[in-house]
Amino acid sequence: MASNAAPDVVSMHYSVISDYSSRGLLIPLDDLLASQEIKPGDFSDASRGGVTKEGKMFGLPFDNWTMLFHINMNLMKEAGLVNADGTPMLPKSEEDFFTLGKKFKDATGKPYLVQIYANETAAYTRIFYTLMQQQNYDFFADPAKINLQGPEAKAAVEFMKKINTEGLSTVDMDYSAAVSGFSSGKGGIAVNGTWLIGDFDAQSKEDGNALSGGYTVYPVPQFMAAKDSTYVDGHGWVIPRGDRDEEKMEAIGKLFKFLKDNDFEWARTGHLPAVKAVFDMDALQEPAPSRQHREDFPDRRIPAR
């Protein structure tokens, strides 16, 4: 973009589309999508909202993702943190988190959480935003002067800091180390994204590893009392502003139609679908044989793949 040689199509996180669209660097796609009979109503509310700015769609929604609690049930059983129905005991408040976390650490000698600490800022931000949202605080009310220094922000940071000072999280792990650390049983709960469900689930079906017969996944629990909320993002396909003839725009439209029509195939990589019809497909709804049920959070269930 800086060299005026932008590509024709770019995959972009919903969370940064506003930065580009507000500076006129992306073109609205409403007419292009309509030419391919792609309707806004084809997409989930979350994905459509991620690409819609000031009433215009600036991207083709492709997926949604969020941070999750990936849980080693073998270690949870060792710690005595399993309910009578076989589901994990999960915290329902900040105080509850430290009670369960300490019990887990005392029983297993391992940290409660496996987190990405080194060479990372995004994972911190997503959890920080989640804790702010759970306090029902509109910290982006004024986009020209974002307020991250109120009591809500302090409460969120103090919670995150206490997790570290109480020794309830792994430290000094970058992304790769955190993923392999959870896979090898170095902690009870990996705080990471939807895209890892398939890999961890597959590992749990194999014998002789830390997750064998003992993996499940839940949304990040509600720690703050005001609101049940979790930070969500996703990927959309955008078109940078530039000179393109009708033939090229038509080709881009056909590509977008193909991507929309095959959203299920992309969802198989571990991202939640953007197209509403995909959620009704038997192949998406049918739970994997070893997948734990999540009755504790029926309204926040992650669709099994």
Side-chain angles (χ1 to χ4, degrees):
M1 288 184 179
S3 64
N4 199 32
D8 291 320
V9 177
V10 178
S11 173
M12 183 174 285
H13 279 139
Y14 300 155
S15 54
V16 298
I17 288 178
S18 292
D19 292 341
Y20 290 88
S21 63
S22 64
R23 288 179 279 159
L25 296 173
L26 304 177
I27 66 171
L29 301 182
D30 301 82
D31 292 342
L32 179 67
L33 297 180
S35 72
Q36 298 295 323
E37 299 183 348
I38 300 174
K39 305 176 182 64
D42 293 338
F43 303 99
S44 67
D45 292 346
S47 61
R48 185 176 67 252
V51 302
T52 303
K53 313 298 174 184
E54 298 181 344
K56 298 179 180 179
M57 291 183 68
F58 282 90
L60 174 80
F62 202 43
D63 64 52
N64 275 117
W65 56 260
T66 186
M67 302 299 281
L68 300 169
F69 267 26
H70 301 270
I71 301 169
N72 185 323
M73 289 300 296
N74 297 323
L75 290 176
M76 287 293 170
K77 291 175 184 176
E78 183 179 335
L81 297 180
V82 179
N83 297 310
D85 62 358
T87 59
M89 294 181 186
L90 293 179
K92 294 179 172 62
S93 68
E94 183 178 351
E95 181 181 5
D96 208 17
F97 174 89
F98 291 105
T99 299
L100 296 178
K102 185 177 186 303
K103 184 176 180 179
F104 180 92
K105 183 179 179 182
D106 289 345
T108 66
K110 298 179 180 183
Y112 191 42
L113 301 184
V114 178
Q115 295 191 94
I116 313 162
Y117 263 33
N119 302 320
E120 175 66 20
T121 58
Y124 294 125
T125 305
R126 294 163 191 163
I127 296 301
F128 175 71
Y129 283 178
T130 292
L131 296 174
M132 294 281 275
Q133 291 169 198
Q134 289 188 357
Q135 297 174 82
N136 205 25
Y137 179 54
D138 190 3
F139 47 102
F140 281 110
D142 181 359
K145 190 178 181 182
I146 298 168
N147 183 2
L148 300 178
Q149 297 181 336
E152 295 85 359
K154 182 179 180 182
V157 172
E158 286 180 344
F159 179 24
M160 296 170 73
K161 182 177 184 295
K162 187 176 179 181
I163 293 173
N164 185 59
T165 56
E166 294 288 326
L168 298 181
S169 175
T170 56
V171 296
D172 299 330
M173 286 185 174
D174 62 12
Y175 182 88
S176 298
V179 173
S180 62
F182 178 71
S183 294
S184 59
K186 292 184 178 179
I189 300 172
V191 186
N192 215 315
T194 53
W195 51 89
L196 287 169
I197 294 175
D199 289 339
F200 290 152
D201 187 56
Q203 182 181 337
S204 73
K205 293 184 175 72
E206 300 171 354
D207 295 330
N209 66 73
L211 297 181
S212 295
Y215 167 71
T216 189
V217 57
Y218 280 76
V220 173
Q222 181 181 356
F223 298 109
M224 307 300 192
K227 185 179 181 181
D228 190 1
S229 180
T230 302
Y231 173 86
V232 173
D233 207 334
H235 297 95
W237 293 99
V238 304
I239 303 178
R241 189 166 295 281
D243 294 326
R244 298 176 185 86
D245 57 26
E246 291 185 8
E247 183 179 4
K248 180 168 286 188
M249 290 300 294
E250 183 179 1
I252 294 173
K254 290 179 179 179
L255 170 64
F256 283 3
K257 179 68 163 55
F258 175 84
L259 294 172
K260 182 258 183 182
D261 289 345
N262 290 277
D263 194 46
F264 166 72
E265 299 299 334
W266 176 239
R268 295 175 66 222
T269 68
H271 293 73
L272 297 178
V275 178
K276 286 193 294 187
V278 176
F279 284 96
D280 296 326
M281 295 176 62
D282 291 341
L284 188 83
Q285 289 295 336
E286 185 178 349
S290 67
R291 185 66 49 82
Q292 298 276 344
H293 292 294
R294 295 177 280 276
E295 270 78 68
D296 284 355
F297 302 89
D299 57 329
R300 304 179 71 211
R301 184 173 298 176
I302 300 297
R305 291 177 291 114

